[in-house]
Amino acid sequence: MSSTVGYKKFPVSQNEELKDKGIFTKYKILLIIGLVALAVILVASLAIGIGVGIGLSVSTVSEHEETTGLNVITVTEVKLEGEYYGSSGGIYFLSTVNGSDFYLLITTLNGDTVFIARKPQDTPMTLMSVNDTNFLVIENDVASNQPSSEDYMIPKSNMSRMKAMIETHPNRSEIMDMVVKIGVNETISFTLEQLVMRTEAILIIEAALALGKRGLTSKTYPSTLPFYVLALRIASAKDNVEENTNRRAFSRQKRSYQCPTECQSCPYAVDGNSCFGLCGRQCNCWEWVCGDCCLHQGCLDHDQCCKDMGFYTSKCLLPFNFDCVRGYRC
C-alpha cells in the first residue's frame, strides 16, 4: 500500500488567528519605537531648557558675530571714539587729548574694562587700570637724578578715592598712604603680559590698522596718538614673543624696508632689529603714527626704552608722554 508524505495544513481559522497576531506584533513594535523617539525629544528639550536656565553655553549667533569692520563714532583733534568688530569679538575705544590732559578707555562690547589710562593736565600722575589691576605712575622732575617715573599699585579699596583725588592735582605726599610699592614691578610685568595675550589685544591692533587705512593720522587728529602708540607696543610685544618661540618662522614674516628718499634720517639696524626707530611693527611702517616712514625721535627713543627696560613695563608698553618730534623720556 503506497503512502504519501505531505505538509500539514492548519485549519483556516487557525491561519487567520496567526495572521492577526503578526499584525498586532508589528503595530506594537512601531508603537514602542514612536514612544522611544518621543522620550528622546522630551529629554533633549528638557536638557536645553535646564542649560539655558543655569547659564550653560548654548550655540547662538551673536549680534556682531558675522560683522567685521570699523565704526568711527567721533573723530576730532581732541576726541576719538569708535567700535571695532573682528572675527574674535569686538571692542569699544575712547581717546581724548587736550594738551597734556588725556584719557584712554578700551572695553569689550559687553562693557568689561580692558584698559583705562587717565592723566589730568599739568600733573605728573597717570592713573591706569589693566585687567582690573590698578596702578599709579608718577613722573619725576627732569632735573632730578631719579628715574623718569615710578610705579605704584593702588588697592581696590582706595581706587574710588584716588580717581577723585587725581583730578585735584595732589602732591606726592598726599597719596603715598594710598598706594603700595612692594612687588609692583612683578605685578605690572604679569598684568601687561596678560593684556598682550588677551583676545582683545589682537582687536586693538586691527582697529589701529583700520583707523590708519582711513587716513586718520595723529598729525591731523592728535586724539588718535595714545591709541596708536598702545596698539603699536602691544603688536611689538606679541612679535617679541613669537620671535622667541619660533625664530625661523618669524624671520620669514619680516618685510624689507626702504627708507623714502625725502627722509633726512632713516631707521637703522641695532641688535638684530633692522628697522630700529621706525614707527611701525617690525619693518612695516605705520605712517599714520607720525605722518611718514622716516626716523622720528619719539619712535627712536621709545624703541631704545623698550630695549633697555623690557616690553612688559609701564615705560615701554604705556608711553603716554610720547611725542613724534620732541621724543620720549623713558
Side-chain angles (χ1 to χ4, degrees):
M1 181 176 177
S2 64
S3 62
T4 61
V5 179
Y7 294 103
K8 183 178 180 180
K9 295 183 179 180
F10 291 106
V12 173
S13 59
Q14 191 172 2
N15 286 338
E16 291 177 351
E17 181 181 353
L18 289 177
K19 182 178 180 181
D20 291 340
K21 286 183 178 181
I23 293 173
F24 175 75
T25 301
K26 290 180 180 179
Y27 278 117
K28 184 166 70 173
I29 293 173
L30 290 174
L31 178 62
I32 293 173
I33 292 174
L35 290 174
V36 170
L38 180 61
V40 170
I41 293 172
L42 290 174
V43 170
S45 300
L46 181 61
I48 293 175
I50 294 174
V52 172
I54 64 176
L56 294 177
S57 63
V58 179
S59 177
T60 59
V61 178
S62 64
E63 182 180 356
H64 302 295
E65 188 172 3
E66 296 180 351
T67 304
T68 59
L70 176 68
N71 175 27
V72 178
I73 300 172
T74 303
V75 58
T76 66
E77 291 184 2
V78 297
K79 181 179 179 180
L80 168 70
E81 182 180 14
E83 297 170 331
Y84 179 78
Y85 309 104
S87 58
S88 56
I91 57 170
Y92 166 83
F93 53 89
L94 172 64
S95 175
T96 62
V97 176
N98 185 10
S100 61
D101 184 296
F102 74 81
Y103 175 70
L104 178 61
L105 169 68
I106 301 172
T107 72
T108 66
L109 295 180
N110 294 327
D112 297 329
T113 300
V114 177
F115 178 84
I116 300 177
R118 169 71 179 126
K119 183 182 184 299
Q121 192 162 353
D122 301 325
T123 177
M125 300 181 186
T126 302
L127 189 66
M128 295 187 302
S129 181
V130 185
N131 294 343
D132 292 326
T133 304
N134 306 310
F135 303 100
L136 182 68
V137 179
I138 303 179
E139 299 173 24
N140 292 317
D141 189 86
V142 176
S144 69
N145 294 323
Q146 297 176 310
S148 62
S149 63
E150 295 182 70
D151 302 327
Y152 300 89
M153 287 186 294
I154 308 171
K156 289 186 177 181
S157 58
N158 293 339
M159 190 59 180
S160 296
R161 183 182 169 199
M162 180 66 76
K163 285 180 179 179
M165 182 176 287
I166 196 174
E167 301 296 334
T168 65
H169 303 80
N171 296 321
R172 184 186 294 243
S173 58
E174 296 181 69
I175 52 92
M176 280 298 103
D177 61 338
M178 300 173 57
V179 296
V180 177
K181 183 68 174 175
I182 298 175
V184 65
N185 292 335
E186 293 79 8
T187 303
I188 283 185
S189 178
F190 175 77
T191 303
L192 295 182
E193 185 175 4
Q194 294 301 305
L195 172 64
V196 170
M197 293 299 115
R198 285 188 64 153
T199 302
E200 289 77 18
I202 298 176
L203 298 175
I204 292 171
I205 298 169
E206 292 178 352
L209 292 169
L211 287 166
K213 290 179 180 178
R214 290 275 185 96
L216 304 181
T217 68
S218 67
K219 285 189 174 182
T220 305
Y221 302 103
S223 59
T224 63
L225 187 59
F227 186 76
Y228 283 158
V229 175
L230 176 64
L232 183 56
R233 296 331 300 181
I234 288 176
S236 297
K238 293 183 77 67
D239 290 342
N240 185 62
V241 172
E242 184 177 350
E243 184 172 15
N244 289 333
T245 55
N246 193 347
R247 290 182 178 275
R248 180 176 297 179
F250 183 83
S251 63
R252 288 198 298 265
Q253 296 175 8
K254 290 186 176 181
R255 299 180 183 176
S256 60
Y257 165 75
Q258 295 293 331
C259 186
T261 56
E262 64 271 18
C263 295
Q264 295 181 353
S265 300
C266 297
Y268 50 90
V270 173
D271 294 340
N273 181 356
S274 57
C275 298
F276 196 77
L278 179 67
C279 300
R281 184 179 187 181
Q282 304 170 33
C283 284
N284 302 319
C285 175
W286 286 19
E287 64 272 13
W288 51 88
V289 175
C290 287
D292 55 42
C293 296
C294 302
L295 180 68
H296 292 273
Q297 192 63 47
C299 296
L300 179 63
D301 291 346
H302 195 202
D303 276 358
Q304 187 64 52
C305 180
C306 294
K307 181 176 180 294
D308 295 339
M309 305 301 298
F311 278 98
Y312 300 117
T313 59
S314 63
K315 295 178 178 64
C316 175
L317 200 58
L318 313 172
F320 293 113
N321 63 350
F322 178 96
D323 186 273
C324 291
V325 178
R326 292 192 297 268
Y328 174 64
R329 182 173 175 243
C330 186

